[in-house]
């Protein structure tokens, strides 16, 4: 028996292509729906953490680009959820990545191995793309302290209190004494320099490559013994009593962890203390999540215990290692509420896509901290060891 | 012009050899004296930390065998000092090793790379050589608690108080609750098992390969919900709420750090805690000091941050890392005083060479901790991360 098609060859090709697309779309929908279902998330379900898909292209986008596609399709408005942080928390605690190891998103790993993405020139990118976004937006989100790192919620009730407690915690861990000289590697909007100079009577030299931040920090610390250098942390010179790197390590890149340690070591007096405050990973990686790399922190990367341990060898004695990752969950949720509340005044300048991008950034990161997938560390190290030992502060 | 020797060829050889020996001895004396002088130590000097050399072979012995020769010549009575701990502290803080990198003592490194020195069979060696030495001697040295790991001196006045505070610190860090099941990997004379069962109402399964210790521990915990297995830690089975490894890691060997972590992970329930208490190094090594390897802890080895970090990857969230190394200085000095005080009752059984060996062990280790050359860590890890985070205890 022979089968004869009633259509022309051209018509045949088109209908076959169309059929293939339908089959792929159907496969993607089934696969992605099943993956979410295994994590306790129902597509078009009724729980706060469930997903409402508005555009069917969502499934294929996630299947092809994984976490990058998940974030991008959110920015595009192809899907929504009432509780983005809860959704991400569920995804991470469900072990979704280990169950789906053959899916895409590996290319960034190899790129990072070939190139030092955080040379002094390349390091400028995140300064322009992220930190120079606009101080108006950051002021709305961060509140009065303009602190853009994890707050410390042990005793605090509000974001501002928690940020001031974090700054005080760092000063106490560094055992700051009046008249001491402090080096700060990466200084944000100058919040730590101002706090330490005012409350502890120390002198601060700080390094930062974001023009907007440096201008703001210089104004904020006028009249205080604070010098803000518009310069890469690797340019730091001189000998200091203490060194702090608060939220810098995330931008340094795994090839430069030893350099960060060497700079701190070179600039410290004997027995001096170095405090490193950083978001961190449970395992060693050489790349960032591709969505965060593309949209939020170009060339960012989170260190592991092993990577920092290797970088500090023969330079420092590790005195104290404090993990308060879940405090970043609270901090990010507080930032999101500030951002969301202040949005009417920002909407015209930044636009709807920015809102969705920023919301995804803040709440998905909150979910990752809640799932204990990533951590927040304060590591205190001493040059040549502190005689008599170091007493932890919490 | 020709030179004629008045001696026969045989006489010539002998006198030349004798001359060579004199020259070598002279070179060794000059070199070693200068090395000590650079560290602030005078040979035949009057300070407590100075060295009194009784036998000239000392210099050559140290030159040829470095730290091994230094310790061996002490046992042989070739030299003395009033304050061995102060002497060692001075040697370590003077950076003596980096200044004299070409001296011997490297062979153990390569041996350790070729062989897993801590297979289940080989691991027995330290049990026989060290831990089975004799409970009478350990009872004199350690006091009532029979605790052979670093005590916690934050509030304590006496060794016994400091040891009980250490045990309580571990129980608090592990957040022990009545009725919980605890796995202990390596249990010494059962001090922790007894304390945790009595004070916190938990059940303890412990593993140890030293017969003398196991017998003692079984008697000591009679009537308590404690089971002591005369078995290697790698044999542990079952699921527990918490896992403790107190002073085991020093005997595990760098090739087995991942196995130790895997055993703890395998035997823990989800979100369970693992506390690792260990002496540690500021940098990664694959061998022990040769004198300690030969005389005190066969096949012992101290981990680094990097080595433990690598071993815990993909298994644990690092929740808290506490360094109280200087407390081991105090502990070792207290042990030495107990040992020295109790010596008249032990002398006949153990002999003079043992006294000098043991004194060198205790006081040189105290000096190394005082110089911050080695550390004492308590690391708390959680399986899958503790929801809401972990609160440090100090």
């Amino acid at each position: 028996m022979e089968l004869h098609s009633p259509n022309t060859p051209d018509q045949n090709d088109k209908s076959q292509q169309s059929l293939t697309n339908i089959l792929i779309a159907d496969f993607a929908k089934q696969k992605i729906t099943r993956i979410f279902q295994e994590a306790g998330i129902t597509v078009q379900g009724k729980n706060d953490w469930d997903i409402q898909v508005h555009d069917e292209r969502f499934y294929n986008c996630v299947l092809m680009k994984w976490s990058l596609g998940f974030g991008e399709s959110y920015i595009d408005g192809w899907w929504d959820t009432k509780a983005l942080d809860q959704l991400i928390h569920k995804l991470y605690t469900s072990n979704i990545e280990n169950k789906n190891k053959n899916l895409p998103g590996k290319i960034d790993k190899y790129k990072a191995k070939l190139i030092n993405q955080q040379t002094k020139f390349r390091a400028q990118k995140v300064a322009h793309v992220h930190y120079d976004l606009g101080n108006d937006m950051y002021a709305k989100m961060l509140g009065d302290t303009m602190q853009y790192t994890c707050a410390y919620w042990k005793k605090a009730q509000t974001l501002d209190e928690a940020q001031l407690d974090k700054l005080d915690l760092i000063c106490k861990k560094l055992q700051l004494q009046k008249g001491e000289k402090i080096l700060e590697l990466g200084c944000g909007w100058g919040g730590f320099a101002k706090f330490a100079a005012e409350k502890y009577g120390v002198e601060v030299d700080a390094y930062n490559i974001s023009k907007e931040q440096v201008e703001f920090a210089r104004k904020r610390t006028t009249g205080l013994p604070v010098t803000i250098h518009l310069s890469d942390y690797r340019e730091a010179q001189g000998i200091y009593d203490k060194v702090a790197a608060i939220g810098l390590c995330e931008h340094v890149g795994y090839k430069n962890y030893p350099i960060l340690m060497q700079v701190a070591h070179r600039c410290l007096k004997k027995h001096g203390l170095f405090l490193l405050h950083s978001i961190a990973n449970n395992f060693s990686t050489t790349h960032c999540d591709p969505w965060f790399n593309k949209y939020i922190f170009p060339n960012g990367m989170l260190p592991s215990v092993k990577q920092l341990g290797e970088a500090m060898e023969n330079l420092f004695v590790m005195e104290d290692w404090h993990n308060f990752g879940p405090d970043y969950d609270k901090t990010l949720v507080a930032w999101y509420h500030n951002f969301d509340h202040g949005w009417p005044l920002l909407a015209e300048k930044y636009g709807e896509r920015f809102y969705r991008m920023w919301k995804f950034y803040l709440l998905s990161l909150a979910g990752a901290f809640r799932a204990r997938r990533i951590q927040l560390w304060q590591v205190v190290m001493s040059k040549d060891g502190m005689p008599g030992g170091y007493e932890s502060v919490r």
Side-chain angles (χ1 to χ4, degrees), chain A residues 258-272:
Chain A
I259 292 171
L260 172 60
M261 295 285 180
Q262 284 157 20
V263 170
H265 188 264
R266 180 184 81 211
C267 295
L268 263 180
K269 68 170 191 184
K270 191 166 181 168
H271 304 309

Side-chain angles (χ1 to χ4, degrees), chain A residues 32-33 35-37 40-55 58-59 62 70 73-74 78-84 87-88 91 360:
Chain A
I32 296 302
T33 303
I35 288 172
F36 282 119
Q37 199 63 57
I41 296 156
T42 306
V43 174
Q44 321 297 30
K46 288 176 183 176
N47 294 305
D48 285 356
W49 57 80
D50 284 336
I51 287 184
Q52 312 305 317
V53 175
H54 308 311
D55 188 313
F58 161 77
Y59 302 105
V62 177
F70 192 56
S73 61
Y74 183 81
W78 293 358
W79 62 277
D80 260 309
T81 176
K82 279 186 198 150
L84 197 46
L87 164 64
I88 296 287
L91 286 175
F360 188 83

Side-chain angles (χ1 to χ4, degrees), chain A residues 35-287:
Chain A
I35 288 172
F36 282 119
Q37 199 63 57
E38 282 174 10
I41 296 156
T42 306
V43 174
Q44 321 297 30
K46 288 176 183 176
N47 294 305
D48 285 356
W49 57 80
D50 284 336
I51 287 184
Q52 312 305 317
V53 175
H54 308 311
D55 188 313
E56 294 283 313
R57 285 174 293 177
F58 161 77
Y59 302 105
N60 207 28
C61 184
V62 177
L63 188 69
M64 299 307 287
K65 298 200 275 179
W66 202 229
S67 64
L68 177 62
F70 192 56
E72 284 188 331
S73 61
Y74 183 81
I75 301 178
D76 287 334
W78 293 358
W79 62 277
D80 260 309
T81 176
K82 279 186 198 150
L84 197 46
D85 49 341
Q86 292 181 42
L87 164 64
I88 296 287
H89 175 245
K90 280 202 167 278
L91 286 175
Y92 275 129
T93 50
S94 72
N95 203 18
I96 187 174
E97 294 206 354
N98 280 335
K99 287 181 194 158
N100 298 281
K101 277 187 175 165
N102 295 327
L103 288 170
K106 309 289 180 198
I107 196 166
D108 289 71
K109 191 173 167 183
Y110 301 107
K111 194 172 140 200
K113 288 220 165 173
L114 291 172
I115 305 168
N116 184 342
Q117 309 210 49
Q118 297 84 6
T119 58
K120 288 179 192 177
F121 178 73
R122 283 174 169 268
Q124 302 278 344
K125 189 175 173 189
V126 69
H128 299 319
V129 172
H130 192 81
Y131 293 107
D132 291 346
L133 261 175
N135 288 340
D136 55 342
M137 194 275 291
Y138 284 112
K140 282 273 176 295
M141 179 172 97
L142 304 176
D144 289 343
T145 65
M146 283 297 271
Q147 276 295 299
Y148 196 25
T149 52
C150 180
Y152 190 51
W153 294 88
K154 190 177 180 186
K155 295 174 185 166
Q157 298 295 316
T158 68
L159 176 63
D160 284 353
E161 284 169 16
Q163 288 294 9
L164 293 175
D165 284 357
K166 183 263 310 281
L167 292 175
D168 202 55
L169 181 72
I170 293 171
C171 293
K172 287 202 165 70
K173 284 185 175 182
L174 282 173
Q175 305 182 350
L176 296 193
Q177 302 293 322
K178 198 175 171 177
E180 283 188 334
K181 285 184 69 184
I182 314 302
L183 171 64
E184 194 187 4
L185 304 171
C187 70
W189 287 276
F192 171 76
K194 178 177 154 72
F195 184 92
E198 280 179 351
K199 305 277 178 186
Y200 286 81
V202 295
E203 290 174 38
V204 184
D205 276 1
Y207 288 75
N208 189 342
I209 52 170
S210 159
K211 279 184 193 171
E212 294 249 353
Q213 287 191 329
V214 166
E215 275 172 33
F216 189 101
R218 281 178 180 160
K219 276 185 204 153
R220 198 180 186 189
T221 55
T222 305
L224 290 168
V226 171
T227 309
I228 313 278
H229 303 265
L230 179 61
S231 189
D232 190 277
Y233 70 97
R234 285 162 279 201
E235 303 291 342
Q237 295 295 336
I239 298 293
Y240 296 84
D241 297 293
K242 314 283 165 64
V243 176
I246 309 162
L248 173 74
C249 192
E250 298 90 326
H251 303 298
V252 154
Y254 82 104
K255 291 191 177 174
N256 300 315
Y257 299 146
I259 292 171
L260 172 60
M261 295 285 180
Q262 284 157 20
V263 170
H265 188 264
R266 180 184 81 211
C267 295
L268 263 180
K269 68 170 191 184
K270 191 166 181 168
H271 304 309
L273 294 174
F274 172 36
L275 183 141
L276 187 143
H277 171 119
S278 180
I279 307 176
N281 239 325
N282 294 335
F283 45 84
S284 299
T285 61
T286 51
H287 65 292

